[in-house]
Amino acid sequence: MVQLDIVRSCNADLVKTQPLVAVFVGGTSGIGEFAIRSLAAVHGKQGKGLRLYIVGRNSSAAEKTISECKGVCPQGDFRFVKAKDLALLNDVDRVCDEIIRIEKDIEANGGFARVDLLVTSQHYFPLTFEPRSDTPEGLDTSISLLYYSRMRFVIKLLPLLLASKLPAHIVSIFAAGKESNTFPEDLSLRDPKHYGAANARSHVVHMTTFFMENLAKQYRGRLSLTHAFPGLVITEAFNDARLPAWFRIVWRIASPIARLFALSGEEIGERILFLASPRYPARQEPSGDVKYAQASATGGKAGVAMGTDGNPGSGAYAVNWDGEPISTAKAYKRVRAEGLSEKVWDHTMKAFEEIEAGRTFKG
């Protein structure tokens, strides 16, 4: 476990290094909101400048968060970008276009257009218990929010991410390390026999890993990409009225015990922010013959983390709630050999291409 004193020290170093531009998608509640509050708190004490975009649907929740963040970080520039339905890639594109427009306006007035940190956590808990439901674009709603929508944010904001001098850090918060079954010929899980909560989770995890690895290789030295498992964090989502009755009954009974083991919102917020530290560097090596760690940053105060390909400093990471990398070598050995990485990349980019062209994706 990376100790909290190291986490807090690294977070302080991050905000003291340079002004930051951050985008939090799904930041009006839950873990995303906790991370926003952590960034505002540490920046308010010793930061050099902060511009932060909160993307979500709940305007009143965003206004409350922004008001409270300004209380601890009055010099911060907090902006809300309202989303309609982030399961739709067209809405993702609209939101990204708005952020790009604002950044270009800032640059036109002498500022520096970029995104240094992109954190995605969009989803809502009740979807986990619902049957498959496709969006008009042809994607399962839950899988879209957990995977396609998040990777689309990366692709659309890529020019701004590549402008970062950190390099840019990209974090997706879901279920790193929770791989199980895969169906390489049915990545969309359209076969009813394949679809279910466990298989959907497994496909999201596999696809996130491989898409991030491909980006890390393509943009060496420019992007650090992390899929994080936050552990048990109790949020208002556990009280959502849309949850099935059986779950609410079980939770009412189990919650007193669960709270004994859960992470606080403050701690998980700090640990999510820590994923932008030098412990998780961008991939640096010019070829496969050079050890990643030799060309990477030293990892700062916590050492360089092992990447999902089994090498330190590889640019793509699966990280547990405690900041430690999750070993994925065994889980990925067979599917790597079968070329799943290439299939995931081609499948995802084809989905983006079809939907951007106005067609319903059927792959």
Side-chain angles (χ1 to χ4, degrees):
M1 176 193 292
V2 179
Q3 298 300 316
L4 267 177
D5 60 339
I6 294 177
V7 169
R8 290 165 178 159
S9 177
C10 288
N11 290 349
D13 289 345
L14 173 68
V15 301
K16 288 188 291 187
T17 302
Q18 65 169 47
L20 292 176
V21 179
V23 176
F24 285 81
V25 185
T28 56
S29 64
I31 296 171
E33 180 193 350
F34 294 145
I36 289 170
R37 291 179 181 276
S38 292
L39 178 54
V42 69
H43 190 278
K45 296 175 182 176
Q46 47 200 319
K48 296 186 69 173
L50 175 64
R51 185 162 63 251
L52 190 151
Y53 297 90
I54 301 175
V55 178
R57 295 185 299 174
N58 192 329
S59 301
S60 59
E63 290 169 2
K64 181 175 183 291
T65 299
I66 288 173
S67 175
E68 293 175 2
C69 284
K70 280 187 170 293
V72 297
C73 183
Q75 70 274 36
D77 179 1
F78 298 90
R79 301 173 183 238
F80 175 58
V81 181
K82 185 173 178 58
K84 298 176 182 177
D85 183 356
L86 291 176
L88 298 175
L89 301 193
N90 282 329
D91 197 40
V92 173
D93 290 356
R94 180 190 61 79
V95 167
C96 290
D97 288 344
E98 175 67 9
I99 294 171
I100 291 168
R101 181 193 64 76
I102 295 171
E103 286 297 302
K104 285 184 176 179
D105 287 346
I106 289 171
E107 188 166 62
N109 287 286
F112 177 20
R114 69 196 185 282
V115 171
D116 301 304
L117 174 62
L118 170 63
V119 178
T120 57
S121 60
Q122 64 266 39
H123 196 248
Y124 59 95
F125 192 28
L127 270 179
T128 306
F129 304 95
E130 295 178 6
R132 182 186 177 99
S133 174
D134 280 12
T135 70
E137 296 173 338
L139 302 174
D140 171 67
T141 301
S142 183
I143 296 177
S144 181
L145 285 168
L146 291 168
Y147 173 68
Y148 297 100
S149 170
R150 300 182 185 202
M151 297 306 106
R152 185 63 174 176
F153 267 99
V154 179
I155 294 299
K156 288 294 290 183
L157 293 178
L158 199 54
L160 292 176
L161 290 162
L162 294 176
S164 174
K165 295 179 179 179
L166 279 179
H169 287 261
I170 297 155
V171 178
S172 179
I173 304 168
F174 179 47
K178 307 303 177 184
E179 300 88 352
S180 56
N181 296 330
T182 56
F183 301 93
E185 304 310 318
D186 184 19
L187 291 176
S188 296
L189 295 178
R190 298 194 185 279
D191 186 335
K193 296 178 182 178
H194 295 163
Y195 191 86
N199 287 342
R201 179 189 65 196
S202 181
H203 268 228
V204 167
V205 175
H206 277 96
M207 291 194 293
T208 298
T209 294
F210 285 130
F211 200 80
M212 285 184 166
E213 286 184 357
N214 273 285
L215 287 170
K217 291 175 184 176
Q218 290 179 41
Y219 301 101
R220 291 182 173 92
R222 313 289 294 282
L223 300 178
S224 167
L225 305 104
T226 300
H227 183 192
F229 174 62
L232 176 59
V233 182
I234 298 174
T235 69
E236 65 272 22
F238 283 87
N239 299 314
D240 196 308
R242 294 169 294 183
L243 288 165
W246 67 263
F247 179 88
R248 282 179 278 144
I249 293 170
V250 171
W251 178 246
R252 192 175 302 121
I253 297 169
S255 60
I257 297 174
R259 292 178 191 280
L260 298 176
F261 302 96
L263 271 71
S264 69
E266 180 182 3
E267 178 173 351
I268 193 60
E270 291 174 324
R271 289 190 177 278
I272 293 299
L273 184 57
F274 174 68
L275 298 177
S277 75
R279 177 165 170 74
Y280 314 98
R283 187 185 185 107
Q284 297 287 347
E285 100 291 358
S287 73
D289 297 328
V290 180
K291 291 289 186 181
Y292 305 125
Q294 293 177 347
S296 297
T298 62
K301 299 167 183 176
V304 173
M306 190 72 69
T308 51
D309 66 356
N311 292 284
S314 69
Y317 307 92
V319 179
N320 209 347
W321 66 268
D322 58 1
E324 295 295 346
I326 299 167
S327 177
T328 59
K330 184 177 180 181
Y332 284 83
K333 184 177 180 180
R334 177 180 59 82
V335 292
R336 283 188 193 281
E338 294 174 351
L340 186 58
S341 177
E342 293 78 12
K343 288 181 180 179
V344 165
W345 178 264
D346 292 344
H347 165 88
T348 306
M349 297 308 289
K350 181 66 173 177
F352 292 169
E353 177 186 331
E354 290 289 298
I355 293 169
E356 187 172 5
R359 296 186 287 268
T360 299
F361 181 60
K362 299 179 180 180

